[in-house]
Amino acid sequence: MKRLKSLAVSCLLVCTALAGTAQAEGFALYEWGARGNALGGTMVARKPDASAVAYNPALMTQLEGTQVMAGFSAIVPNAKVDVNYGGNTYTGEGAHNVWTPPHGYMTTQLKDNLWLGMGIYTRFGLGTEYDDPNWAGRYNIYDAEIQTVSYNPNIAFKITDKLSAAVGVEFMTLDLKMNKKIDGTNMNNNPSDPVSGDIDSELKADSYGWGITGGLHYQFDEQWAAGISYKSQVKQNADGTNSFTPGSAVVNPLILGAYRDCNVHGAVTLPDMISFGVSYNPIPELGIEVGATLTRWSLYDNLGIYHDAPFAGTGRLVNSEKEWNDAWRYSIGVEYAATPWMDLRAGFIYDESPADADHIDYLIPTSDRQLYSTGVGFHWDSYTVDLSYTYIVATDAEYDNHATNGIYDGNSHDGRTHVVGLSVGYKF
């Protein structure tokens, strides 16, 4: 037991230290394990591993003894954005960064019909950085990071031999950084203005919030099973600072006087998710699952950040209308036990974008996505090692002109992302 506690604490510390961000639909992340990555996230109904804590905690009732797993997904996103202004086209390209959201899990059977699980993973995250901070869309954003870490204990229990259920609590931390430029010359947000007249804005804030999780699983027979899992919305009340650094040639002192370093605070509701899955095993070696996830992005309708004095003299609310739509994620995954020690996997996902041309900004430089994934799993004695690769093709996003927010007519293109996953597990 002492060894088990030490291992769990080490896993928590490693996962917290590795927590990173990436580019996703909206800014939801679903990379919760290398096996799940390879199978397109179809882990709601099929035979589980320890990552069931994240995908569907009701599946923990199929795990014997005590199991642990830890790993990460290395995500390399890239896209280009064309900005049309004054008859000219300006192109911004994403910086070549690698984001590494981690995952760590532990499950243990307490009684014949009772299981306990703990998960550490990233449910929301975003990293959007343009290679030139002075690009044409700099008045909207040039560097942004949204990073969350979820700590998620669950209890699972068997209601009958075929029906299992689970319930849990989610504690989610949030860190936010948003960097953009402000036109300090004439406030018309003209991307062709001299960049020496810009004021640099760096907003940093953090928060934490609480939610609940749950799941159900039903095993019809040896071939068919179905599952459903739920993660609730989480309200975040963030506090932080906004720092303003003027360029060397700001010509309007009235503008400069309005942008003073200040404290900021605001509230945002991160959406709930509900996932469905049906699995079929025509033969013991072959498992097929189809599934869908609904993320209720309609809850993300507005982002208001209040800037305290001395900003604009007595302080002011800086408001950004979002009005996003609920979005679906459809998936299929196939797993084949090629040998007693190796499994082959493949998956496909179609991921809808929640933002339309009227409300999308340069924080999200892509639209709908198609994800093609593959992977392999090795298992021997008490060990498992899972590897995955995902190639993401993003549909071009269309931008309508909202110059007051630093957004201009244009479109994104060449949206491509590579994701490599690794998970290592051990069964006691």
Side-chain angles (χ1 to χ4, degrees):
M1 181 61 69
K2 183 176 180 181
R3 179 185 177 190
L4 181 59
K5 289 181 178 179
S6 298
L7 184 59
V9 171
S10 299
C11 179
L12 184 147
L13 292 175
V14 169
C15 288
T16 302
L18 285 175
T21 53
Q23 192 180 96
E25 276 319 310
F27 47 90
L29 290 179
Y30 308 89
E31 284 76 18
W32 301 330
R35 182 179 174 221
N37 292 354
L39 292 170
T42 57
M43 297 281 289
V44 180
R46 70 169 70 245
K47 181 179 178 181
D49 56 29
S51 67
V53 177
Y55 290 103
N56 184 0
L59 282 166
M60 290 192 298
T61 61
Q62 297 187 21
L63 300 176
E64 298 179 350
T66 297
Q67 302 191 19
V68 294
M69 174 184 289
F72 64 91
S73 298
I75 306 176
V76 186
N78 193 41
K80 297 178 181 179
V81 177
D82 288 342
V83 172
N84 301 322
Y85 188 89
N88 297 315
T89 298
Y90 307 87
T91 300
E93 183 173 0
H96 297 282
N97 292 323
V98 180
W99 310 102
T100 55
H103 54 267
Y105 309 101
M106 181 182 70
T107 68
T108 187
Q109 184 173 1
L110 302 177
K111 297 181 179 180
D112 290 343
N113 64 344
L114 187 64
W115 281 255
L116 175 66
M118 176 66 185
I120 307 166
Y121 52 94
T122 299
R123 189 147 76 92
F124 298 98
L126 181 145
T128 302
E129 181 183 4
Y130 291 90
D131 58 356
D132 182 3
N134 296 315
W135 80 291
R138 63 189 180 275
Y139 299 128
N140 179 250
I141 201 74
Y142 70 84
D143 186 12
E145 294 180 20
I146 300 172
Q147 174 183 302
T148 71
V149 180
S150 291
Y151 304 87
N152 181 211
N154 288 269
I155 293 177
F157 47 93
K158 283 189 174 182
I159 299 175
T160 69
D161 289 340
K162 294 186 176 182
L163 178 63
S164 298
V167 64
V169 176
E170 180 179 16
F171 174 72
M172 181 189 297
T173 63
L174 179 145
D175 287 284
L176 168 68
K177 183 184 81 169
M178 298 182 70
N179 287 18
K180 66 177 183 178
K181 302 286 186 176
I182 297 165
D183 186 352
T185 58
N186 53 22
M187 293 302 291
N188 67 355
N189 284 355
N190 184 343
S192 62
D193 278 352
V195 296
S196 59
D198 288 345
I199 301 171
D200 192 85
S201 169
E202 182 179 35
L203 187 148
K204 293 182 178 180
D206 56 59
S207 176
Y208 65 87
W210 295 88
I212 60 172
T213 59
L216 291 170
H217 183 264
Y218 191 82
Q219 190 75 42
F220 295 96
D221 51 38
E222 292 184 356
Q223 292 184 315
W224 290 94
I228 181 172
S229 67
Y230 177 73
K231 302 181 189 300
S232 76
Q233 62 194 55
V234 178
K235 186 175 182 179
Q236 298 281 357
N237 294 296
D239 295 288
T241 61
N242 201 345
S243 302
F244 302 95
T245 304
S248 59
V250 173
V251 298
N252 192 331
L254 295 178
I255 295 174
L256 178 60
Y259 291 94
R260 306 280 298 279
D261 294 355
C262 63
N263 294 326
V264 298
H265 53 92
V268 62
T269 299
L270 300 178
D272 50 355
M273 302 172 175
I274 184 167
S275 298
F276 310 89
V278 176
S279 68
Y280 174 57
N281 290 77
I283 58 175
E285 296 82 10
L286 179 63
I288 305 167
E289 182 174 331
V290 294
T293 296
L294 172 65
T295 303
R296 292 206 308 144
W297 281 113
S298 57
L299 295 170
Y300 184 59
D301 58 353
N302 186 71
L303 179 61
I305 300 176
Y306 192 86
H307 289 60
D308 294 335
F311 181 86
T314 59
R316 191 177 70 189
L317 176 66
V318 178
N319 199 52
S320 177
E321 185 182 73
K322 298 301 180 181
E323 297 296 340
W324 284 10
N325 305 307
D326 294 343
W328 282 93
R329 178 180 174 96
Y330 305 99
S331 54
I332 182 171
V334 179
E335 182 174 49
Y336 178 68
T339 72
W341 50 270
M342 182 178 66
D343 300 328
L344 303 178
R345 300 158 183 155
F348 172 77
I349 297 172
Y350 181 80
D351 204 2
E352 293 181 342
S353 173
D356 56 33
D358 286 332
H359 298 97
I360 195 170
D361 55 30
Y362 300 136
L363 199 67
I364 311 293
T366 59
S367 187
D368 298 349
R369 307 184 309 162
Q370 297 83 47
L371 291 77
Y372 305 87
S373 57
T374 187
V376 61
F378 304 98
H379 41 90
W380 69 97
D381 298 331
S382 297
Y383 295 92
T384 61
V385 175
D386 298 310
L387 301 170
S388 67
Y389 171 72
T390 305
Y391 181 62
I392 304 175
V393 180
T395 305
D396 297 352
E398 299 292 332
Y399 298 93
D400 288 344
N401 188 68
H402 296 283
T404 55
N405 295 321
I407 303 169
Y408 312 90
D409 289 334
N411 65 279
S412 70
H413 55 96
D414 298 336
R416 301 292 185 267
T417 299
H418 305 273
V419 184
V420 177
L422 168 66
S423 299
V424 179
Y426 185 79
K427 303 175 184 179
F428 291 90

